[in-house]
Amino acid sequence: KIDESDAQKLTKRKLAALKAVLAADPRPAYQRNSCREYGLDFGGYSVKFCVDNDLLTVTQLEKKNK
């Protein structure tokens, strides 16, 4: 789940690619803690997310400084 305000920060192509990456559940296989916040760098953005049961929620999407 990505908030509309965060989704609007990305092009449609980048948003589709990010959704595909997140659908693959990029958490380390040895960590499945539902309370933990995870992060990854994607297309010039820092993406933070958490997973509760089968629902992944993006909690932060910020453009990275170069």
Side-chain angles (χ1 to χ4, degrees):
K1 178 175 128 181
I2 301 175
D3 285 337
E4 186 64 30
S5 61
D6 283 336
Q8 291 177 356
K9 296 176 185 177
L10 302 172
T11 64
K12 288 183 181 183
R13 186 175 178 177
K14 273 193 179 180
L15 179 59
L18 177 58
K19 286 181 177 181
V21 167
L22 295 174
D25 194 355
R27 296 178 293 170
Y30 59 89
Q31 291 182 347
R32 297 295 185 212
N33 186 341
S34 63
C35 298
R36 183 177 176 138
E37 186 174 61
Y38 298 90
L40 60 92
D41 292 337
F42 177 84
Y45 288 83
S46 174
V47 181
K48 304 282 187 192
F49 65 94
C50 62
V51 181
D52 188 18
N53 293 317
D54 289 333
L55 179 63
L56 185 148
T57 302
V58 172
T59 57
Q60 185 177 13
L61 179 67
E62 291 185 351
K63 191 154 184 76
K64 292 184 65 139
N65 296 328
K66 293 184 179 183

